[in-house]
Amino acid sequence: MDDLIPKELLVKFGIDESMAVVVAISLIVISLFILIVVVASSMRVKFYKDKLTNIDIDNQDKFNQILALQKSLDEYKQKNKILEDTLTVFEDTKEKLNKTKEKLNALDIAYKELNSLQDTTARKLENLKNMYEELSLEYNRLIEQLNKLQEDNSKLQVNNARLLRKLEQK
């Protein structure tokens, strides 16, 4: 202990050796206490620094996850928009198809009616052709008969004229 504190210093302050030992031990205890407080504080600072670093890393991971989820959400929104547009086009196409089916059904009904009318008209035309042929034959027969009658009439007129002349001559 004598080596730690020089004797002149002890004499100058008027402290005896036992008191010097007590002061030295007190100083060592205070130094150890301060050292313990400093070490504990530095450990606490390091603990909080590590905790803050971990929180920053966790926050960065969470931020990256949020960005990934936001990107995924944007992709889903874009796909949803495309699917909604496709669905709208599909609905429009479906509506056009239904209208086209209705028009086709109406045209089919009209076609059947026109086809029926055509069949009826074709039968009537055939009947008229047959009637025309019959009437043409009748007409030709009547023309021949007329010609014959005119010829007979001419002959009779000639005979009548001769008879009249003969009568006049008598």
Side-chain angles (χ1 to χ4, degrees):
M1 271 297 205
D2 291 334
D3 296 339
L4 289 174
I5 303 173
K7 293 216 177 205
E8 305 100 34
L9 192 59
L10 291 175
V11 171
K12 189 176 180 184
F13 287 112
I15 303 174
D16 65 350
E17 260 188 52
S18 64
M19 182 73 135
V21 171
V22 171
V23 169
I25 290 176
S26 299
L27 284 175
I28 290 174
V29 169
I30 290 174
S31 296
L32 285 174
F33 181 72
I34 290 173
L35 182 65
I36 288 173
V37 169
V38 167
V39 167
S41 295
S42 70
M43 286 177 61
R44 188 178 244 176
V45 167
K46 184 177 179 340
F47 172 75
Y48 284 121
K49 182 181 173 189
D50 289 344
K51 191 172 184 178
L52 182 62
T53 303
N54 288 340
I55 289 172
D56 284 343
I57 290 171
D58 287 346
N59 285 345
Q60 187 64 34
D61 288 343
K62 288 177 183 176
F63 181 74
N64 289 338
Q65 281 182 331
I66 289 171
L67 287 178
L69 289 173
Q70 185 68 36
K71 184 178 178 183
S72 180
L73 178 64
D74 291 342
E75 288 174 0
Y76 281 124
K77 283 182 179 178
Q78 190 175 20
K79 286 179 183 177
N80 188 39
K81 175 76 171 121
I82 291 170
L83 290 174
E84 283 177 351
D85 292 344
T86 304
L87 184 62
T88 303
V89 169
F90 178 75
E91 289 295 328
D92 292 344
T93 305
K94 186 178 176 183
E95 187 176 315
K96 285 180 185 177
L97 178 64
N98 287 336
K99 287 180 182 178
T100 304
K101 281 183 179 179
E102 289 173 7
K103 288 179 183 178
L104 179 64
N105 287 338
L107 287 174
D108 192 39
I109 290 169
Y111 172 75
K112 287 178 181 176
E113 288 174 358
L114 288 174
N115 202 11
S116 174
L117 181 64
Q118 180 187 14
D119 290 343
T120 305
T121 306
R123 281 193 300 272
K124 286 180 181 178
L125 177 64
E126 189 63 36
N127 289 339
L128 288 174
K129 281 182 181 178
N130 290 337
M131 283 176 56
Y132 175 74
E133 286 179 20
E134 289 175 11
L135 289 174
S136 291
L137 290 174
E138 182 70 19
Y139 173 75
N140 288 336
R141 187 184 62 78
L142 289 173
I143 291 288
E144 285 178 20
Q145 189 178 5
L146 176 66
N147 287 338
K148 215 181 210 186
L149 287 174
Q150 284 178 345
E151 214 177 277
D152 288 344
N153 190 23
S154 288
K155 285 181 186 175
L156 287 173
Q157 281 179 354
V158 168
N159 272 340
N160 281 342
R162 269 192 223 155
L163 286 173
L164 274 176
R165 267 192 239 143
K166 276 186 188 180
L167 270 176
E168 283 177 6
Q169 283 175 357
K170 287 191 187 186

